[in-house]
Amino acid sequence: MTVLVRISNLTRVFDVSKPWLNRVIERLPRATLTAVRGVDLEIGEREVYALVGESGSGKSTIGKMVVGLLPPSGGSVEIDGVDPARETDREALGRLRADVQMIFQDPYASLNPRWKVRDIINEPVAARGGDASGLAGRLLEKVGLDAEDGEKFPHEFSGGQRQRIGIARALASGPRFIVCDEPTSALDVSVQAQVLNLMSDLKDDLGLTLLFISHDLTIVRHMADKIGVLYLGHLVEEAPPDELFGDPKHPYTRMLLAAAPRIDGFGREAEPPKGEIPDPINPPPGCAFNPRCALADEVCRARHPELRSLRGARVACHFAE
Amino acid sequence: MEATIPRTEAAEPVLSIRELVVEIPTRRGVLRPVDRVSFDIAPGEILGVVGESGAGKSMTGNAVIGILDRPARIASGEVRLNGARIDDAAPESLRALRGKEMGMIFQDPLTSLNPLLRIGDQLSETMLAHLPVGESEARERAVAALDEVGIPGASQRVRGYPHEFSGGMRQRVVIALALCAEPSLVIADEPTTALDVSVQAQIIGLLKRLCRERGTAVMLITHDMGVIAEAADRVAVMYAGRLAELGPVRDVIQRPRHPYTDGLMGSTPLASRGLGRLRQIPGAMPRLGNPPPGCAFAPRCPKARDACRLDPRPEISGSGGGAACLFPMEAA
């Protein structure tokens, strides 16, 4: 398997300080929030890599850095050997941008309400001076809509149909790699099933590589070839789905799996997880999960565990075995 | 399953809805977001109400507590709380019931708390309005209520404002607020949709425990089948404003009788079911203003025959529940 996307030591820091005048008057220091901290991962060609985590875990920030919507504060993203933040060859950059697309979470916010659907879909090609004639019609049919729908405006479509339009737009430039940021969390289950099926069909037909970002473990298990679990900006575990669900190694992964409501869990009286995600501005020292972890020890409070290989998975825990 | 409270047929239901119809008159005709819905909730029972967006779940809940936004109104049918009709009650008497007899928990905890009042003041205000207590006792009870919903350091936190609490903690405050006057019915409308899974598990566990201890009836509105499976005793499946299926949660989830419930189950990606294609329901829910004749699900239903497309539409027969379908799925 050839590696298409290589993410090394990726870090993103946001400045969340108060305005300078407040800092002067109230004698406050600058405050920073590290949303993503030293994430290393590789995505193989034609692989579906899923990132899961709760809110504030940094999954969307990674997605934005991968497509180049946010510059990284440290580390690098290489797609097919090209780092968009450092590449100076315009031609290589242009090719890279056509190769990488994104599907967004909210189908109501991601389509321009004043543009016809045809123009929305053609834009990624037209903006680069390409020939987009007939493209929208073909793509609309590919995602299960009518070619004539190109003449309509986004408000004439339901949420699921809009997400199909978003998918058609992402396919317009003939990409190899698509980042899907919670593509179905705004949709109802029956519509979600339609969109997920469409995405896996398209992936097989077109040989796409996907980075699939979601908070929903059941969807991730359904879609992914490999799953990375994030907690407070750290990659804490990475494994193929069967491995992750069958033999979760990180205590946080175990907690997540236990907490997810199960459709066969009638009257289940599980001990609910303890605590909440800590404040990312003042994360706990050592392992970020230690305040909620049953296994936590002095080592966990002192030293951050490195990601290490363990039985077909990678896990960042001092005690996982 | 000793965890659930057995539903005794003899017990008077806390909430009883019969043939409830909610209408919204518009310039282009009358919309019916809730169309002849009937169900009961017994003391201590959790009834899950599921359905996709626009199915009428929240509208049913809002009609029960009498907070429909104009021009939506209850057009016909009955809502009884502890035997007394409340659908035609005057706004003042409904206001006295809300908080006292009916507690409410909404999706977004930040918008259901007053941002300008301390948490403790909001709790004691509710108790002063509904319970025969004095100021100092209300204050003590506010601390006890926060303690009971698992807020650490309750005696200090009563002085906090809503923005000082995290999302999960705010929802705990809302639960404390909904339960502080010891209502007999709680309507929880998507109480965990805005929360992360680990916090969701905490909140659902809390809701289950408190309602079991107090014998409170709960109408739990959600779109998440997993939450329903774990929390509810019975479940009502809604589609296009109508009840599609009603029954004990195990039966409805494991042996759905209505093709819509069956489709809904098939399209839920199950952690336990592994890979493969998801079953999908073709098409989308009909628009409110223009429901098809007969069964509303017929245009999307794989089993629909001509009889399904004719009025009168199928109804749930029998008081115990069942499916509103002429050709229900075979019990496997």
Side-chain angles (χ1 to χ4, degrees):
Chain A
M1 188 184 68
T2 50
V3 173
L4 183 66
V5 181
R6 179 171 282 122
I7 293 174
S8 336
N9 198 22
L10 190 65
T11 300
R12 173 71 209 194
V13 180
F14 291 104
D15 187 345
V16 290
S17 311
K18 288 204 171 164
W20 72 268
L21 192 58
N22 293 54
R23 288 207 309 276
V24 171
I25 296 168
E26 298 167 34
R27 292 170 192 273
L28 294 170
R30 275 193 168 275
T32 57
L33 185 158
T34 308
V36 177
R37 202 182 284 253
V39 168
D40 281 295
L41 57 89
E42 290 178 350
I43 307 175
E45 186 115 43
R46 297 182 177 226
E47 190 178 52
V48 179
Y49 191 103
L51 282 176
V52 281
E54 299 182 277
S55 39
S57 62
K59 49 192 193 306
S60 292
T61 309
I62 292 179
K64 284 184 187 157
M65 285 193 283
V66 169
V67 293
L69 286 175
L70 263 184
S73 311
S76 65
V77 176
E78 266 180 38
I79 300 167
D80 208 13
V82 182
D83 180 347
R86 291 191 185 81
E87 184 62 50
T88 47
D89 180 0
R90 293 180 61 117
E91 204 175 307
L93 260 183
R95 247 182 290 126
L96 178 79
R97 294 204 172 116
D99 271 350
V100 181
Q101 285 294 325
M102 186 156 183
I103 298 169
F104 297 90
Q105 170 170 2
D106 185 351
Y108 292 87
S110 58
L111 304 177
N112 188 333
R114 291 168 183 260
W115 281 25
K116 282 185 178 169
V117 165
R118 178 184 39 141
D119 298 329
I120 292 174
I121 295 175
N122 286 342
E123 178 67 5
V125 173
R128 293 169 35 79
D131 175 23
S133 57
L135 179 70
R138 280 203 307 281
L139 287 169
L140 280 169
E141 282 174 1
K142 202 169 200 96
V143 296
L145 298 170
D146 282 336
E148 287 82 64
D149 286 340
E151 299 306 311
K152 295 186 187 165
F153 287 93
H155 74 263
E156 297 176 67
F157 297 89
S158 69
Q161 290 170 325
R162 282 177 200 227
Q163 205 55 304
R164 288 171 192 264
I165 294 170
I167 293 172
R169 172 179 58 188
L171 295 174
S173 63
R176 294 163 64 196
F177 176 56
I178 300 182
V179 174
C180 317
D181 190 357
E182 304 259 14
T184 60
S185 52
L187 306 177
D188 279 318
V189 266
S190 72
V191 179
Q192 167 177 291
Q194 294 170 3
V195 171
L196 290 179
N197 281 341
L198 173 70
M199 286 176 62
S200 41
D201 290 348
L202 290 172
K203 182 201 70 150
D204 294 343
D205 288 356
L206 305 172
L208 298 172
T209 304
L210 302 181
L211 175 62
F212 195 94
I213 296 167
S214 178
H215 67 280
D216 189 329
L217 288 163
T218 53
I219 294 179
V220 160
R221 178 171 201 184
H222 186 82
M223 293 291 290
D225 299 315
K226 201 187 262 179
I227 299 173
V229 182
L230 291 167
Y231 186 74
L232 219 65
H234 294 280
L235 189 64
V236 296
E237 183 163 358
E238 180 193 69
D242 289 341
E243 190 66 30
L244 189 87
F245 283 80
D247 176 22
K249 294 172 186 71
H250 197 283
Y252 175 63
T253 315
R254 273 184 233 146
M255 189 203 86
L256 260 191
L257 293 181
R262 287 209 308 263
I263 206 155
D264 53 356
F266 302 109
R268 190 164 67 114
E269 300 283 329
E271 180 71 16
K274 286 192 204 68
E276 297 181 19
I277 293 190
D279 179 5
I281 298 170
N282 295 304
C287 172
F289 189 59
N290 82 65
R292 304 170 76 185
C293 184
L295 303 175
D297 197 347
E298 267 88 72
V299 187
C300 305
R301 284 183 273 275
R303 203 156 49 81
H304 177 72
E306 295 298 320
L307 211 54
R308 60 192 163 95
S309 294
L310 183 68
R311 292 198 304 280
R314 290 197 298 158
V315 59
C317 177
H318 292 301
F319 292 105
E321 52 194 32
Chain B
M1 210 171 52
E2 62 287 344
T4 55
I5 284 171
R7 199 168 58 91
T8 46
E9 296 302 327
E12 172 108 352
V14 174
L15 178 71
S16 174
I17 299 179
R18 286 289 166 273
E19 301 270 306
L20 181 71
V21 176
V22 174
E23 287 186 345
I24 306 177
T26 69
R27 240 175 284 167
R28 289 198 213 119
V30 177
L31 309 181
R32 280 194 166 189
V34 180
D35 194 354
R36 306 222 307 278
V37 167
S38 306
F39 58 75
D40 291 343
I41 311 181
E45 182 183 50
I46 301 183
L47 176 79
V49 179
V50 276
E52 300 181 275
S53 31
K57 336 181 269 297
S58 295
M59 211 48 123
T60 308
N62 290 355
V64 168
I65 42 186
I67 54 165
L68 287 174
D69 284 323
R70 274 161 61 92
R73 60 189 183 88
I74 296 179
S76 65
E78 276 185 21
V79 180
R80 284 178 188 273
L81 184 69
N82 295 319
R85 271 189 81 165
I86 56 166
D87 54 287
D88 53 0
E92 306 82 64
S93 53
L94 262 179
R95 190 199 296 256
L97 284 176
R98 280 196 294 266
K100 175 79 191 86
E101 288 299 322
M102 297 185 282
M104 287 153 280
I105 301 166
F106 294 109
Q107 175 172 345
D108 182 0
L110 196 53
T111 51
S112 35
L113 293 170
N114 186 335
L116 298 177
L117 286 183
R118 294 178 197 274
I119 294 295
D121 292 343
Q122 302 193 39
L123 279 162
S124 45
E125 184 189 20
T126 310
M127 285 188 274
L128 284 172
H130 296 297
L131 296 176
V133 292
E135 290 247 359
S136 58
E137 197 190 343
R139 246 172 245 291
E140 279 167 33
R141 282 219 202 177
V143 176
L146 288 184
D147 203 34
E148 193 166 16
V149 293
I151 292 179
S155 48
Q156 286 91 53
R157 297 290 268 174
V158 282
R159 300 186 46 76
Y161 289 95
H163 74 267
E164 298 173 295
F165 290 71
S166 69
M169 285 297 158
R170 271 183 219 139
Q171 199 61 300
R172 286 170 194 264
V173 172
V174 173
I175 291 178
L177 203 52
L179 293 176
C180 68
E182 302 187 341
S184 49
L185 172 71
V186 168
I187 296 190
D189 191 350
E190 305 269 9
T192 58
T193 307
L195 306 174
D196 281 317
V197 268
S198 63
V199 181
Q200 165 171 290
Q202 296 169 354
I203 297 293
I204 292 291
L206 176 70
L207 197 62
K208 269 163 72 173
R209 177 172 66 81
L210 291 179
C211 293
R212 189 186 312 139
E213 283 170 9
R214 300 166 183 218
T216 314
V218 182
M219 178 172 166
L220 175 64
I221 300 169
T222 176
H223 66 276
D224 189 329
M225 278 292 185
V227 169
I228 292 281
E230 295 196 355
D233 301 311
R234 285 191 308 143
V235 52
V237 182
M238 289 192 72
Y239 184 78
R242 304 161 182 188
L243 273 189
E245 187 161 0
L246 179 69
V249 64
R250 244 171 220 278
D251 294 356
V252 172
I253 287 181
Q254 290 181 332
R255 291 180 297 278
R257 303 271 289 147
H258 197 288
Y260 173 64
T261 322
D262 187 54
L264 207 55
M265 291 301 155
S267 54
T268 310
L270 282 185
S272 51
R273 204 184 275 174
L275 295 161
R277 272 180 80 80
L278 295 169
R279 251 175 46 222
Q280 56 187 59
I281 309 177
M285 198 150 64
R287 298 208 166 201
L288 279 181
N290 185 19
C295 173
F297 187 60
R300 302 172 74 186
C301 182
K303 302 185 71 188
R305 300 185 213 168
D306 289 346
C308 300
R309 299 185 188 91
L310 298 174
D311 283 328
R313 63 174 215 240
E315 301 279 349
I316 292 179
S317 53
S319 56
C325 182
L326 293 178
F327 309 104
M329 314 292 289
E330 299 297 327

